[in-house]
Amino acid sequence: MKKAKHTCPSNSKAFGLALQALVFMSDSPNRYPSTNIADHLCSEATLIRRILAKLAQENILEVREGRDGGYWMKAAPESVTLADIYQALQTDISLCEGMLESTGEHAFGLQMHDMFSDISDEINNSVLNILQKYTIADMANKMNPVTE
């Protein structure tokens, strides 16, 4: 019996950085080099590039490589929910997947797997329902201007 894959909160640092980068980019249709985004977030450019590459693969961002390249939002910030970003970044083994993988193929393990599966579904649905309520524009609109 093959165990179903589930997703739950994971890779929260990448999720947080992705949200910050998108809020930063949401105020303008300009291209932003990864170094500028990383500087603004006080993070590493290589980490930001890895995160933004996933968002580009999911058609949330456009990217142009090269000296005049950079990233920009493909969709309007009002149409991009936090759930969209969360789902785009789901690649690591999560708490729920780890729970499911801990069960065995014996009678007790199979029963536990079924219970863990139900709990995992409920956790994932709760997270997605909450994240679906917010957009990048909502976050950007709540930001106070930053003076440096």
Side-chain angles (χ1 to χ4, degrees):
M1 170 195 288
K2 187 173 182 178
K3 296 179 182 179
K5 287 204 171 204
H6 294 271
T7 58
C8 281
S10 68
N11 204 354
S12 54
K13 182 176 180 177
F15 180 63
L17 288 170
L19 293 178
Q20 292 177 71
L22 291 170
V23 168
F24 172 66
M25 290 187 286
S26 70
D27 70 341
S28 169
N30 296 336
R31 276 184 233 129
Y32 293 93
S34 58
T35 53
N36 289 17
I37 298 168
D39 287 347
H40 190 78
L41 303 182
C42 298
S43 187
E44 298 175 16
T46 54
L47 175 60
I48 296 300
R49 277 192 291 275
R50 277 187 269 145
I51 294 167
L52 298 181
K54 290 179 184 180
L55 299 179
Q57 287 174 341
E58 297 297 322
N59 292 314
I60 294 168
L61 294 178
E62 283 282 338
V63 61
R64 175 183 277 173
E65 295 183 19
R67 198 173 92 199
D68 294 326
Y71 298 87
W72 66 98
M73 291 191 68
K74 189 171 188 173
E78 297 81 16
S79 68
V80 179
T81 69
L82 276 59
D84 296 330
I85 308 311
Y86 177 81
Q87 290 174 313
L89 296 175
Q90 287 299 310
T91 56
D92 294 338
I93 293 178
S94 66
L95 166 69
C96 295
E97 192 170 328
M99 284 173 35
L100 291 167
E101 289 179 357
S102 73
T103 60
E105 296 295 323
H106 48 87
F108 179 77
L110 293 173
Q111 287 179 359
M112 290 302 299
H113 183 271
D114 289 344
M115 284 189 281
F116 285 171
S117 181
D118 292 343
I119 292 167
S120 296
D121 287 342
E122 191 172 344
I123 290 169
N124 194 45
N125 289 334
S126 295
V127 169
L128 290 175
N129 286 335
I130 292 167
L131 295 177
Q132 195 68 40
K133 295 177 184 179
Y134 302 96
T135 67
I136 297 300
D138 294 334
M139 293 180 71
N141 291 336
K142 290 182 181 181
M143 294 291 298
N144 294 324
V146 178
T147 56
E148 295 183 40

